[in-house]
Amino acid sequence: MKVILYTDVKHLGEMGDVKNVATGYARNFLFPHMYAVPYNDQTVAYFESRKEEIEARKEQKRKDAASLKDKLEAFTVELKMPAASNGKLFGSVTALTVSEFLAKNGYEIERKRIEIPGVTIKSVGNYHCTIHLYESANAEVKISVLPQEDDSAKKEAPKKAGKPAKEETAPAEESAAEEKSE
């Protein structure tokens, strides 16, 4: 079934695009949610009258993507990950990891738009990833994976201090148990 998209629909198209979709998809999802209208003479005339507005909106998206591309290419993603002494990571850096880091720094980018060569990064080093922004606009972002500082020496000190405290509470529990039995 041929439809004209009334709004932007993720994974399908943008406002004003003419698409062929399954009849059930159109009747059960697109039409009830007002995402699309049937392709006929009236709807074609309506979208022809709004063509300038739709093109202006697409041009604004292109400009936004271009400015975001410049910002992202100047930005370096520095991730500190736990790693072995040979540089292998305990875990890996994925598109989700990069997306969360970018979100913390003010860039809302879906993980599906981030393409890491080899799907994951499994060792310390410098890498590049591609972020698909809008249409053909792609940003090359630098990723620097650094080993996380070892805090094991700091963590061991409180643990040692905590053990004698448990030993001191144990006799108090025993004396309480003896009082109950008497």
Side-chain angles (χ1 to χ4, degrees):
M1 171 179 242
K2 215 171 189 182
V3 297
I4 300 177
L5 297 179
Y6 194 69
T7 61
D8 295 351
V9 180
K10 195 181 240 183
H11 306 295
L12 186 59
E14 297 180 334
M15 182 193 316
D17 290 350
V18 177
K19 297 289 182 174
N20 280 321
V21 297
T23 306
Y25 181 57
R27 273 188 306 194
N28 297 323
F29 180 71
L30 296 175
F31 296 159
H33 291 284
M34 302 297 286
Y35 292 147
V37 293
Y39 183 86
N40 57 34
D41 294 336
Q42 293 172 339
T43 57
V44 169
Y46 173 74
F47 279 99
E48 285 296 323
S49 68
R50 294 187 60 201
K51 191 172 189 172
E52 290 177 16
E53 176 189 335
I54 293 169
E55 286 302 318
R57 196 166 161 244
K58 287 182 179 182
E59 185 60 34
Q60 182 61 38
K61 284 184 179 181
R62 286 185 197 103
K63 287 179 183 176
D64 292 345
S67 68
L68 183 60
K69 177 183 176 183
D70 294 337
K71 290 178 186 176
L72 285 173
E73 288 181 345
F75 187 73
T76 300
V77 176
E78 289 187 11
L79 298 169
K80 292 189 178 186
M81 302 289 290
S85 58
N86 63 357
K88 289 237 179 210
L89 297 179
F90 298 127
S92 61
V93 175
T94 62
L96 179 64
T97 312
V98 174
S99 175
E100 288 173 349
F101 183 84
L102 290 172
K104 287 179 185 175
N105 289 289
Y107 300 102
E108 292 297 323
I109 296 176
E110 298 173 0
R111 68 177 174 83
K112 293 178 181 179
R113 294 182 175 270
I114 299 171
E115 183 180 319
I116 296 176
V119 182
T120 60
I121 298 172
K122 297 184 179 184
S123 60
V124 174
N126 295 319
Y127 301 90
H128 290 280
C129 74
T130 303
I131 299 177
H132 304 286
L133 299 172
Y134 181 74
E135 291 178 343
S136 63
N138 296 324
E140 287 289 323
V141 178
K142 292 173 249 161
I143 301 174
S144 179
V145 181
L146 306 170
Q148 194 173 34
E149 297 157 3
D150 191 18
D151 295 337
S152 60
K154 295 178 184 177
K155 291 180 182 177
E156 288 179 18
K159 288 181 183 176
K160 290 180 181 176
K163 286 183 180 178
K166 289 181 181 177
E167 292 173 6
E168 292 173 8
T169 57
E173 291 173 3
E174 290 174 8
S175 63
E178 289 175 10
E179 289 177 11
K180 288 181 182 178
S181 64
E182 292 178 2

